[in-house]
Structure formats: structure tokens, C-alpha cells
Amino acid sequence: MRAMFQGWFRRSVFKTIRFLKHPRKLRDRPAMRWFARHFLDKRVWRPTQHTLSGGMAVGMFITLQLLPIQMPTATILSAIFRVNIPVAIALCWLSNPFTIPFIAWLEYLIGKWFLALYTTVPTTPFPSELPDSMVDAWIVLKEHAPVMLMGGIILGAAGALVSYIATWGGWEITSRMEIAKKLRVAKAP
């Protein structure tokens, strides 16, 4: 039974690899056209000034949202906006178990500040420990989730803007320095 399952799994993996090797086959199937148009575009895999800056912006926005599915979300958004997919996925690793408490605290503070300008905010403090029962966890989530969501959106938008501008400027400075160096080398002999 195990050998039969292993043979089936191996054949299915090889069929999938063979299927994905031919982008022409992906474009012929209507269900896979969207996938082929967005993920097989060579521009989303090569770092250029636009794709790298956009990938940094998408990755920074998604990493500052405390979502359980950051990498698939970053991949899909990168494909939609035609920006660098590997950079966006790599930036999702900034929010790891060591940085999440700081990010959550910052999101909560920013969200509470922003919502206090327009509506009422929760008066109960954010819990320092996980609730004991599921009912208590739901109550805490229901009360504090809008604050965290608003803080995440604001913090993510600001982080995306800063990372886009910094990456675009860094690329521009680096390319100008390379051109100046080539001109100096050409004038030297």
C-alpha cells in the first residue's frame, strides 16, 4: 500500500513539474491564464528599480499586518502589482516571534491614538497574558481587534511609503555612483 502511494505521489509530482515547465500550456487553460499572466512574467522575478522598490513596499506593508498568512498575501499582491515577488516574500520574515510583541504594541498604540481622534476606544487595557478561556479570548479580540487593524494599516502604509522611497533613492544613488565611476575610469587612461 505504501509503495503504491509513493509511486502515485512521485508520478503526480513529476506531472506537475512537467506541467509547470511549459508556460504555453498554462496560458492555454482558462483557469490558469491569470496565474500565467502574473507569476510567469519575468519582470516580477528580476530586480529593477521599480520592481525592487515595489516589492519592498508590498513586503513592508504585509509584514506590519499581523496576519497568519503573510507570505501568500505578499505573493498575490506582488503578482497583482507586478513587483518583485522574492523581495516581498523575504520581507515577511521581519515579523518573527521576536519582533511581533514590539510590532503588536506599536500597532495598538497607533491604532488607539488614531481611533481616539474619531471614535471611542476600548477603555480596558490590552491583556499582558493570554486569556484562559475561549470566551475571554473572543471578548478581548472583539474589543481590541479594530484598534490593532487600524494601527496595522496606518503603520503598514507609512512603512511601505518609507521603504519605497528609500529603495528607489538607494537604487538611484547607486546607479549614479556606478556611472560616475565608469566615467572616471574612462577618463583616466
Side-chain angles (χ1 to χ4, degrees), residues 47 49 51 69 92 94 100 108 184:
Q49 187 174 14
T51 61
I69 53 168
C92 288
L94 284 178
I100 281 183
Y108 187 75
R184 280 195 310 268

Side-chain angles (χ1 to χ4, degrees), residues 13-106:
V13 167
F14 284 136
K15 283 181 184 178
T16 305
I17 290 171
R18 200 173 322 123
F19 176 75
L20 291 176
K21 277 186 178 179
H22 301 286
R24 183 177 60 250
K25 289 183 180 180
L26 284 175
R27 290 186 184 104
D28 291 343
R29 291 183 169 78
M32 299 298 278
R33 240 180 239 140
W34 186 88
F35 175 81
R37 188 173 60 233
H38 288 86
F39 288 97
L40 297 178
D41 187 7
K42 292 178 182 176
R43 291 177 290 177
V44 300
W45 298 100
R46 288 189 189 136
T48 63
Q49 187 174 14
H50 168 70
T51 61
L52 186 68
S53 301
M56 291 284 285
V58 167
M60 188 59 71
F61 181 78
I62 295 299
T63 198
L64 292 174
Q65 311 302 312
L66 296 180
L67 300 171
I69 53 168
Q70 288 180 338
M71 288 175 51
T73 307
T75 304
I76 291 170
L77 284 177
S78 297
I80 289 171
F81 292 127
R82 305 277 173 110
V83 295
N84 199 299
I85 292 175
V87 169
I89 291 173
L91 276 177
C92 288
W93 287 88
L94 284 178
S95 60
N96 56 44
F98 300 111
T99 60
I100 281 183
F102 176 71
I103 292 172
W105 174 74
L106 196 59

